[in-house]
Amino acid sequence: SMFLEGRREMPPLYSPQRNFFFFLDAINGDMNIVLCYVILSSGVWTWRTVLWVAIGWTVGISLGMLSCIYVATLHENDLWFSNIKEVEREISFRTECGLYYSYYKQMLRAPSIQQGLSELINDNATESKRTINLLRRMNIYQEVFLGVLYRILPIQAYLEPVYFYIYTVFSLQAVYVIALFITSWLLSGSWLAGALTGVWYILNRVDTTRVEFTISLRENWSLPFFALQIAAITCYLRPHLKPIQQKVVLWLMFLATLCFCLTWQFNQFILLVQALIIFTLDCLDLISTEQVTCLYLVQVSSLLSVWLLQFCNSMILGSLALSFIVARGLKTGGLTARLGKLLLHTVLVLALTFTINYLAKQALQLRSDEHIFKFIKSKFGLGPTRDFDASLYLCEEAFGLLPLDTFDRLAGTLLAYPYLVTLIVLLVILDTQALNPPTNVAYNLLHTVFFGLLALSTMRMKYLWTGHMCAFAAYGVCGKELWSLCLNTIHCNTKTKLRLIRYTVPLAILGFLCCKFWPKLMTEVSELREFYDPDTVELMTWISSKTPKKAVFAGSMQLLAGIKLCTGRVLTNHPHYEDRALRERTRQVYQIYARQSPEEVHRILRAAGADFVVMEDSVCYERRHGRGCRLRDLLDLANGHIMDGPGDNDPDLVHASHPRFCESVKTGGPAYTALFSRVFQNKTFHAGNHVRLTRR
């Protein structure tokens, strides 16, 4: 109402002069969305228009809140989170989630905010025998921000720290859905598209988010801001924006991009894909040079701001995204004159990109992200397949190809069909140049194509694609362009028929989806389970009560993250893999699962400063992966040893001269008892010391 007060003249809802602005307001630590529909041109405001717009905002906010409540309910019902002990709550933050949450906990336990920040900047508990700047190494500003916010707000008496944390993450899901709502509304001109987007996002939860069981993952913090950035780009590329409007949208775009980059270490690769999209639009003359420059400046300024905030993190300066933007040349000549040179131009830009990136990494002596390129090379058969770091990724299902059953699920909610039709029709239009699609439509078309290809190649990347897929499909159902094309084909295109079909089709789809899936949703949120992991609880309790507070623990990355969160003990290695020295230490520590002599394992663990080592039967006798992808197989291959079990082996592999350490140490032979003593054991873990053996 504060934006409408005093303005009596507004254009109709579907006028081409309309424009959307949205603002994110943090109130008392909770992320609340203030959505404003601002029409910055002359025209007549009618109460009908005001009512229709108000209904649209109400629907958008309601869908955002519904998605937030939905995932929060699933999380509570799956773990009975409100009723379990604190140690069980912390254990539920699995793998790297526990590592990130531990820094929020550390900020809360510090005597002061200043000392908490100092401990993070000079941390010697995350990696033994090393002092690292965690704000430089990891993207944990969100944990710092929430830790500070919780300390200064008067909410400690009625809201536990863990709930403040998880509710903030779940609230970002509301931001995500509302941002997608805005994008589809901007593209189609109808908030019914936003409603369809929100419903599709919720119904396809399995493929659009995994926040309910991976709360602290960086993507759950960053993707809502990425969606806000896409909405801002969609608004910026609309025609007839006044200069002041462009500046406001650019600032909003910068803030969203900055938050996205600050909260996820893989930001540079996502921005590289986005830079390629802008480059393609530029090559096809679908975007002005001024717009290209502004969009690239937003990317560069965001990356450089994060570089400064992360204490000059060299990974950012050595990123392919920055190298590509520097290498990109301005276009010259018209499209027709440049078509023959387009391929050569693209090849030259890419070649210059890799040259600049190579020189930058040599100058910065940057090796932190080389494991990602090893993974990409191995995935496409361009590099060695025995590389330990690359194999760790390649053997995980999340980094494989997108499973075909994904499309069955998307088709079951009627999402896949309008998406594919919209995609194919617009690609044909773009290819034949039969029509020039609006710039913001062209951007979103290329966005869904590029990120769709990324998702098809790597399943974990599908979460960058499926949310936007909902908005793009809803645009196809509710937008004017496709329906006008269909009606023109059958020679019956009138304004009344166009309006009728644009309202009835989305309403029919929404009605069908509600009737079919509402009972399923009610059943899902009524299913009650409970957290149960007594062996891990027993291990964490033993470590907290029976070991020195400065004791150093070695083991698998996933387990050690939980040990740090639950007990605060020092680690030899951890799941944040973006450091070359850490990757090498992890490979060395993992020799506890390889065929090595007790003397060699002892030497490795002492070199890492370990006092205790925890071994897990689930790793030593792993059956989750097939032969060739079990951790012990990856270690055997990296060490040049023949793998366990029946099957082929490469001819250059040899039999190891020692038995597998994690198996043989249990026998208690003299060679082992001279160096290791068992101090803890249950059905899952075994632990030992000096190095004390702890077995899980």
Side-chain angles (χ1 to χ4, degrees):
S1 61
M2 68 179 181
F3 286 93
L4 303 181
E5 184 178 357
R7 290 186 59 89
R8 297 184 178 180
E9 294 187 346
M10 298 184 181
L13 179 62
Y14 297 114
S15 167
Q17 286 82 22
R18 69 190 183 283
N19 188 27
F20 294 83
F21 286 93
F22 49 93
F23 300 91
L24 183 64
D25 187 21
I27 301 176
N28 293 333
D30 295 323
M31 303 302 291
N32 297 306
I33 299 301
V34 182
L35 299 172
C36 313
Y37 183 85
V38 183
I39 302 177
L40 299 173
S41 61
S42 61
V44 178
W45 275 89
T46 66
W47 287 109
R48 181 180 176 183
T49 301
V50 173
L51 179 62
W52 185 248
V53 170
I55 294 173
W57 297 138
T58 303
V59 171
I61 295 172
S62 299
L63 285 170
M65 294 303 298
L66 178 61
S67 67
C68 169
I69 296 170
Y70 178 43
V71 294
T73 303
L74 292 177
H75 176 262
E76 167 63 25
N77 290 355
D78 190 53
L79 300 172
W80 202 7
F81 199 76
S82 60
N83 196 61
I84 58 179
K85 297 183 293 186
E86 186 66 21
V87 65
E88 293 175 313
R89 290 178 178 178
E90 292 179 346
I91 292 171
S92 71
F93 288 86
R94 301 287 185 181
T95 65
E96 60 187 289
C97 296
L99 182 69
Y100 297 133
Y101 182 77
S102 71
Y103 299 123
Y104 169 70
K105 180 180 176 181
Q106 184 174 326
M107 279 296 299
L108 295 179
R109 291 191 169 184
S112 66
I113 294 175
Q114 292 79 3
Q115 186 167 338
L117 289 172
S118 177
E119 290 174 356
L120 293 177
I121 294 173
N122 302 281
D123 178 89
N124 54 16
T126 301
E127 296 177 17
S128 57
K129 303 179 74 172
R130 294 173 183 168
T131 299
I132 61 175
N133 184 343
L134 291 170
L135 294 181
R136 183 179 188 271
R137 174 81 72 82
M138 303 183 190
N139 297 70
I140 58 168
Y141 267 99
Q142 50 268 53
E143 279 73 26
V144 173
F145 174 73
L146 286 190
V148 172
L149 205 58
Y150 187 82
R151 294 178 69 125
I152 64 177
L153 292 176
I155 58 176
Q156 292 89 345
Y158 58 88
L159 187 63
E160 296 177 65
V162 66
Y163 278 107
F164 182 65
Y165 186 92
I166 66 174
Y167 285 166
T168 300
V169 179
F170 291 149
S171 297
L172 284 176
Q173 283 297 295
V175 176
Y176 197 173
V177 171
I178 293 171
L180 295 174
F181 186 99
I182 293 171
T183 300
S184 56
W185 190 349
L186 282 166
L187 290 171
S188 66
S190 170
W191 61 256
L192 281 175
L196 197 53
T197 299
V199 170
W200 267 331
Y201 182 90
I202 293 171
L203 295 182
N204 291 281
R205 173 188 57 81
V206 173
D207 296 302
T208 54
T209 183
R210 49 179 177 165
V211 65
E212 73 274 12
F213 62 91
T214 59
I215 294 174
S216 303
L217 276 190
R218 305 298 82 180
E219 66 189 50
N220 294 327
W221 286 93
S222 64
L223 290 186
F225 295 111
F226 188 53
L228 285 173
Q229 186 231 37
I230 295 169
I233 292 175
T234 303
C235 181
Y236 175 71
L237 296 179
R238 289 168 59 82
H240 312 301
L241 284 186
K242 296 178 181 178
I244 185 63
Q245 299 170 14
Q246 292 179 349
K247 290 180 181 179
V248 172
V249 176
L250 282 172
W251 272 107
L252 292 173
M253 191 191 308
F254 167 74
L255 292 175
T257 308
L258 176 63
C259 291
F260 164 71
C261 293
L262 195 60
T263 51
W264 198 13
Q265 68 268 29
F266 295 136
N267 58 70
Q268 55 166 302
F269 302 102
I270 309 306
L271 290 188
L272 173 63
V273 176
Q274 200 169 61
L276 289 169
I277 295 170
I278 298 169
F279 175 76
T280 305
L281 289 172
D282 188 24
C283 289
L284 297 176
D285 275 340
L286 293 173
I287 188 172
S288 69
T289 301
E290 180 184 357
Q291 289 174 323
V292 171
T293 303
C294 288
L295 291 174
Y296 280 142
L297 281 176
V298 166
Q299 288 193 335
V300 171
S301 56
S302 299
L303 286 171
L304 292 180
S305 298
V306 173
W307 174 69
L308 289 173
L309 288 170
Q310 289 196 288
F311 296 82
C312 304
N313 188 331
S314 58
M315 270 189 69
I316 297 175
L317 287 186
S319 68
L320 276 173
L322 278 180
S323 300
F324 179 83
I325 294 171
V326 172
R328 181 198 64 86
L330 293 176
K331 60 183 180 181
T332 56
L335 176 61
T336 304
R338 289 187 293 113
L339 278 177
K341 304 177 183 177
L342 185 58
L343 180 60
L344 178 61
H345 175 66
T346 303
V347 171
L348 289 175
V349 168
L350 292 177
L352 187 56
T353 297
F354 287 109
T355 302
I356 294 174
N357 187 255
Y358 173 79
L359 294 175
K361 288 183 176 179
Q362 292 298 315
L364 297 168
Q365 296 184 342
L366 178 61
R367 300 291 185 272
S368 299
D369 58 354
E370 64 181 6
H371 64 298
I372 298 174
F373 296 100
K374 288 180 180 179
F375 159 71
I376 295 173
K377 290 179 181 179
S378 299
K379 186 177 181 68
F380 295 102
L382 303 176
T385 56
R386 290 188 191 173
D387 182 82
F388 179 75
D389 297 326
S391 297
L392 278 179
Y393 288 100
L394 288 171
C395 287
E396 290 298 325
E397 183 183 5
F399 293 94
L401 299 177
L402 187 67
L404 293 178
D405 62 356
T406 304
F407 300 100
D408 293 334
R409 292 191 297 270
L410 297 176
T413 59
L414 302 184
L415 172 59
Y417 304 117
Y419 172 79
L420 290 175
V421 170
T422 306
L423 179 66
I424 292 170
V425 171
L426 288 179
L427 284 175
V428 170
I429 290 174
L430 192 65
D431 181 62
T432 59
Q433 297 183 354
L435 295 170
N436 276 330
T439 305
N440 57 354
V441 173
Y443 170 82
N444 281 274
L445 170 63
L446 293 179
H447 181 100
T448 196
V449 169
F450 277 61
F451 282 98
L453 293 174
L454 184 62
L456 290 173
S457 67
T458 307
M459 187 182 75
R460 186 175 178 180
M461 296 295 106
K462 72 176 180 180
Y463 301 105
L464 289 161
W465 177 49
T466 47
H468 184 265
M469 177 194 290
C470 298
F472 191 75
Y475 154 71
V477 172
C478 302
K480 294 180 181 179
E481 290 82 5
L482 268 66
W483 288 120
S484 296
L485 185 63
C486 294
L487 293 175
N488 284 332
T489 303
I490 59 177
H491 306 290
C492 62
N493 188 11
T494 65
K495 184 179 294 187
T496 302
K497 291 179 180 178
L498 178 61
R499 179 173 295 181
L500 179 65
I501 199 169
R502 289 180 63 220
Y503 287 113
T504 55
V505 172
L507 287 174
I509 295 176
L510 285 170
F512 170 79
L513 293 175
C514 290
C515 291
K516 181 179 179 181
F517 291 99
W518 183 257
K520 180 182 176 182
L521 288 179
M522 291 299 99
T523 302
E524 188 177 21
V525 297
S526 64
E527 292 178 350
L528 302 179
R529 302 181 184 86
E530 184 178 353
F531 176 88
Y532 184 75
D533 191 354
D535 289 349
T536 305
V537 171
E538 184 184 10
L539 173 67
M540 299 303 175
T541 303
W542 177 82
I543 292 175
S544 297
S545 60
K546 301 296 183 181
T547 65
K549 291 186 177 181
K550 296 297 184 180
V552 179
F553 277 78
S556 70
M557 295 184 289
Q558 295 78 7
L559 177 63
L560 290 183
I563 289 177
K564 175 166 177 55
L565 171 58
C566 297
T567 71
R569 299 305 188 262
V570 183
L571 313 179
T572 57
N573 52 299
H574 54 80
H576 195 275
Y577 220 47
E578 277 61 55
D579 180 75
R580 187 184 187 186
L582 175 67
R583 292 195 294 272
E584 177 58 27
R585 176 183 280 189
T586 298
R587 190 181 69 81
Q588 290 293 320
V589 169
Y590 276 11
Q591 297 302 311
I592 60 178
Y593 297 111
R595 290 186 174 97
Q596 296 286 0
S597 67
E599 293 80 11
E600 177 64 12
V601 172
H602 187 269
R603 183 194 65 78
I604 290 172
L605 294 176
R606 294 308 296 161
D611 299 311
F612 295 82
V613 57
V614 184
M615 287 184 285
E616 305 163 70
D617 285 344
S618 59
V619 178
C620 189
Y621 305 105
E622 181 186 0
R623 292 187 177 91
R624 185 169 68 95
H625 293 103
R627 186 176 186 269
C629 270
R630 300 168 299 190
L631 180 61
R632 62 180 186 268
D633 296 335
L634 302 184
L635 291 165
D636 288 343
L637 290 172
N639 295 337
H641 297 157
I642 292 175
M643 295 183 290
D644 287 342
D648 297 332
N649 290 281
D650 291 339
D652 60 326
L653 298 177
V654 300
H655 289 282
S657 56
H658 299 282
R660 195 168 303 281
F661 179 81
C662 62
E663 295 176 354
S664 301
V665 72
K666 293 190 296 182
T667 63
Y672 296 92
T673 56
L675 300 172
F676 303 92
S677 59
R678 182 178 298 168
V679 293
F680 176 86
Q681 179 178 0
N682 62 22
K683 292 185 297 183
T684 307
F685 302 98
H686 296 257
N689 80 322
H690 221 42
V691 172
R692 301 178 178 88
L693 174 65
T694 304
R695 190 172 192 84
R696 176 180 179 177

